[in-house]
Amino acid sequence: MNKMKINILALGVAALTMTGCSESFLDTTSKTELNSTSFYKTEVQAEYAVVGCYDGYQRTVSNGNWPSLFQAVETMSDDCLGGGGPDDRSDRLMDRFDRSYMPDQIDLFNGLWDDYYKGINRCNLLLASLDNIGWTSEEARKVVESETRAIRGLEYFDLVRMFERVPLLTVATTEVVPQSEPDAVYEQIVADLKFAADNMPEEQYADKSNNLGRITKYAAAAMLARVYLFYDGVYNDNKGGAMPGGLTKEQALQYCEEVIKSQRYSLEPEFKNLWPAASTEATTKTEGRKSTYVEDSNEIVWVVKFNNDQNWNNSNINGNKFIINLGLRNVTSFAPYGNGWGACPVTPYANSLFRSGDSRSTATVIDCAAIGAYKEQITTDCMDYTGLVNKKYCPLIFTDGTSMPAAETTVDGGNMQTNQDQNWILIRYADVLLMAAELGSANAMQYFNQVRDRAYGAGVHDITSAPTREQIWNERRVEFMGEGVRYFDLRRQGLDAFVAAQMGQANANGQASGNPITIYNNKVPTTIAGTYVENNIRTKRGFFQIPNSQITLSGHVYKQNAGWE
């Protein structure tokens, strides 16, 4: 770990800025060579530095280290199988929680770990320098500190949900810092997000058209509610007690209510318009992209912005590198749905959860049989193939098979792997409504019905009393399917529920006792329900493998998570 931290210190200031498309605040171009002795002196430099902190989080995806958090938690959820091709054994390892698929893979999440700590280091360097900057006002300082702490809080929230016991670094250091108990990490997460939620000016970054991706007080507030619900489920059996950092259920609800009362957010009228592949027509390259996609929708509370101006040689590390993994494997004839590596095929049971008339169904899942791709794909090397693909994060192509963002980029040498520019939505307003309902809002029924009304039409499936927790959890599953949310939602339902769902995902009824579904593995129809072993899943408790490289670099101060030894 010493070596990794030294590398972080070397890179922390050198990569403070990034380039991007003209619609994003991440369009800052480096004006000079900067280092830790010449930087962090002026308010302008502080603004560059905070953009560098945003870039640090973006790079947990755009840097290209595999898997990203998104792909890992989609693969490991009960909504998806592993997928990919015959050589993508790590996909099956994650899906089955079974190292026997790749016994020599002891560093699976090393790139992810490294990217997160580099991002944290950027935040720590800036926060440590705030007193040395000539601020024009106290409010200007609070904005920068709020953004930086919110980013750091999110980074630690991701890490503690992935690995549980992680080193807690709040200052830049080259020393080996032992793994902290999760309560200490959660205390810091709450402190960071609370600072942002309580100190960011209300109208800061209200204009999404110029500030898409910027963190607002309401984004931090919504994330606090998510933190509370995850901690309460995983560590407190959903009993509703206070969590480390003093965050209570009542406070978490109040933060949600503040987001709602702000009137800054609303549900996008048509669900499909939140997702490019769900709202884009099949067109020729000459015709150009035709879409009703609303990138800066008022439903977006917190989003990670990506751009299309990266190639293999430039320094614009800003493309969405996880989306290509989810594309249709081995086919380029089904525009607008683009090609990729075929990871995370959706399970038939998950797809069956959409009721008749639910507009979320066709916006969430591509049915390859319905578009004519199924028969072609089963003659190729697809693995865990169900014929069901995540539409929310599917790459786009023109009818000649050309990648849309690659064709639209202004840089030379771009391609489908580097130029994916779809943003990653972390929190939508629908999530705020459902979290508020789960936290016990007096308006729980109204909030719940708002989400359903958008899905089915007004009054079609409204409830007439406050929703139960189970109703809310079920609604969350179909509302957020394919968004990297389900895995964490399932874990907070308790270990037994988590294990049962994992054991049943390859069965038609989603239960371990059901009939196995037939999938295709490299052209061969087969069943895989028997490959899910309860002990492999239960012992790991949903947490990831600590990268062996980090254990070694720490001098074995770090200890491996149970089940991954």
Side-chain angles (χ1 to χ4, degrees):
M1 188 62 184
N2 262 333
K3 180 178 178 182
M4 188 272 288
K5 289 176 185 168
I6 291 170
N7 289 341
I8 290 173
L9 289 170
L11 294 172
V13 176
L16 282 167
T17 63
M18 65 174 290
T19 58
C21 69
S22 61
E23 295 178 347
S24 171
F25 76 92
L26 290 175
D27 291 339
T28 310
T29 307
S30 180
K31 301 296 192 295
T32 185
E33 292 296 322
L34 302 168
N35 57 57
S36 59
T37 57
S38 66
F39 209 58
Y40 305 120
K41 302 297 183 184
T42 70
E43 199 169 295
V44 171
Q45 290 176 334
E47 175 60 21
Y48 280 133
V50 78
V51 171
C53 293
Y54 280 100
D55 179 43
Y57 190 77
Q58 182 197 63
R59 286 185 182 221
T60 66
V61 173
S62 61
N63 209 31
N65 281 316
W66 184 92
S68 68
L69 169 63
F70 178 90
Q71 186 175 345
V73 298
E74 278 296 291
T75 303
M76 298 166 80
S77 82
D78 60 333
D79 281 347
C80 299
L81 305 179
D87 294 332
D88 299 323
R89 290 174 292 156
S90 292
D91 286 330
R92 264 84 71 202
L93 183 160
M94 290 189 292
D95 179 53
R96 276 72 147 180
F97 297 82
D98 188 349
R99 276 193 55 210
S100 70
Y101 282 90
M102 204 171 183
D104 58 342
Q105 179 55 278
I106 57 176
D107 260 350
L108 180 59
F109 302 106
N110 192 52
L112 195 60
W113 178 289
D114 197 48
D115 284 338
Y116 268 92
Y117 275 102
K118 286 177 180 176
I120 287 168
N121 188 72
R122 293 186 184 196
C123 295
N124 287 342
L125 286 169
L126 176 53
L127 290 170
S129 303
L130 294 178
D131 290 341
N132 301 324
I133 294 169
W135 300 101
T136 58
S137 67
E138 182 63 22
E139 182 175 284
R141 172 178 173 146
K142 283 184 177 180
V143 169
V144 168
E145 184 172 358
S146 294
E147 290 178 275
T148 308
R149 292 188 66 171
I151 294 166
R152 184 175 68 180
L154 173 62
E155 288 168 332
Y156 271 123
F157 185 38
D158 286 352
L159 283 168
V160 77
R161 287 186 295 172
M162 288 188 284
F163 301 107
E164 188 170 43
R165 297 184 68 252
V166 297
L168 179 58
L169 310 175
T170 56
V171 295
T173 179
T174 59
E175 298 300 316
V176 173
V177 175
Q179 293 158 289
S180 294
E181 293 301 319
D183 277 10
V185 182
Y186 277 103
E187 184 173 358
Q188 185 63 51
I189 293 166
V190 169
D192 281 343
L193 290 172
K194 266 191 171 183
F195 185 91
D198 296 344
N199 288 280
M200 181 77 81
E202 288 185 11
E203 295 306 311
Q204 191 72 32
Y205 306 130
D207 179 8
K208 281 194 179 72
S209 62
N210 292 314
N211 297 293
L212 187 64
R214 286 282 197 181
I215 296 166
T216 65
K217 71 183 280 90
Y218 302 111
M223 192 61 72
L224 277 165
R226 181 173 285 181
V227 169
Y228 178 85
L229 285 167
F230 184 80
Y231 183 93
D232 192 49
V234 173
Y235 297 102
N236 198 31
D237 196 27
N238 294 299
K239 293 178 180 176
M243 67 169 290
L247 183 62
T248 65
K249 181 178 180 179
E250 292 73 23
Q251 289 172 341
L253 172 59
Q254 183 58 38
Y255 279 121
C256 285
E257 298 285 18
E258 287 177 7
V259 177
I260 296 166
K261 290 176 183 176
S262 74
Q263 298 186 325
R264 287 265 294 270
Y265 306 96
S266 59
L267 296 178
E268 184 62 34
E270 289 194 65
F271 188 79
K272 69 181 181 66
N273 290 341
L274 290 164
W275 316 107
S279 57
T280 300
E281 297 179 31
T283 56
T284 66
K285 192 159 47 174
T286 301
E287 291 174 311
R289 190 184 301 207
K290 294 182 180 179
S291 181
T292 57
Y293 169 54
V294 184
E295 183 181 32
D296 59 352
S297 169
N298 283 335
E299 185 162 345
I300 306 304
V301 179
W302 194 332
V303 67
V304 182
K305 185 78 174 68
F306 294 101
N307 301 307
N308 71 1
D309 58 356
Q310 181 178 357
N311 61 33
W312 290 118
N313 299 311
N314 67 22
S315 60
N316 299 340
I317 305 174
N318 56 18
N320 185 335
K321 289 291 189 69
F322 72 66
I323 192 172
I324 200 66
N325 294 315
L326 279 63
L328 279 68
R329 188 175 180 86
N330 300 318
V331 293
T332 56
S333 304
F334 301 95
Y337 310 126
N339 52 308
W341 314 141
C344 303
V346 177
T347 69
Y349 177 68
N351 189 48
S352 74
L353 295 174
F354 293 103
R355 293 187 190 185
S356 176
D358 190 338
S359 62
R360 294 170 296 196
S361 176
T362 55
T364 299
V365 180
I366 300 169
D367 184 339
C368 291
I371 65 171
Y374 185 81
K375 289 183 179 180
E376 183 174 340
Q377 287 190 284
I378 63 175
T379 64
T380 71
D381 68 349
C382 297
M383 299 291 288
D384 292 346
Y385 183 68
T386 66
L388 301 169
V389 175
N390 185 335
K391 189 184 287 191
K392 289 178 176 176
Y393 289 101
C394 180
L396 296 172
I397 58 173
F398 290 112
T399 52
D400 67 351
T402 303
S403 166
M404 283 190 186
E408 295 163 349
T409 186
T410 59
V411 304
D412 294 329
N415 63 34
M416 68 171 191
Q417 295 185 62
T418 62
N419 293 121
Q420 297 298 331
D421 57 7
Q422 183 179 341
N423 301 331
W424 175 20
I425 301 173
L426 299 183
I427 295 183
R428 297 192 276 114
Y429 183 62
D431 200 351
V432 178
L433 292 173
L434 292 177
M435 287 193 295
E438 187 172 348
L439 287 163
S441 171
N443 298 315
M445 184 183 73
Q446 174 190 339
Y447 296 158
F448 185 88
N449 283 338
Q450 283 184 43
V451 175
R452 281 205 172 171
D453 285 350
R454 195 257 303 270
Y456 300 104
V460 175
H461 283 295
D462 281 3
I463 58 174
T464 56
S465 59
T468 66
R469 179 179 286 156
E470 184 176 3
Q471 284 177 309
I472 294 169
W473 285 349
N474 290 340
E475 198 66 28
R476 289 182 64 85
R477 185 169 188 181
V478 290
E479 175 72 23
F480 305 117
M481 190 179 296
E483 299 182 45
V485 173
R486 170 62 180 173
Y487 184 69
F488 297 121
D489 272 1
L490 181 59
R491 285 174 59 192
R492 64 189 182 89
Q493 294 177 28
L495 183 58
D496 288 342
F498 175 78
V499 173
Q502 296 289 354
M503 292 295 294
Q505 63 186 291
N507 289 333
N509 64 355
Q511 299 177 19
S513 60
N515 295 321
I517 59 170
T518 297
I519 55 92
Y520 277 82
N521 273 341
N522 198 14
K523 308 175 187 178
V524 179
T526 186
T527 61
I528 58 171
T531 65
Y532 295 83
V533 179
E534 179 173 348
N535 189 59
N536 288 335
I537 299 167
R538 185 175 292 278
T539 56
K540 297 175 179 65
R541 299 173 45 245
F543 291 105
F544 294 13
Q545 179 189 52
I546 305 290
N548 189 67
S549 289
Q550 303 303 325
I551 293 173
T552 301
L553 288 169
S554 75
H556 293 273
V557 172
Y558 301 163
K559 303 303 178 185
Q560 185 57 268
N561 280 330
W564 291 106
E565 298 90 345

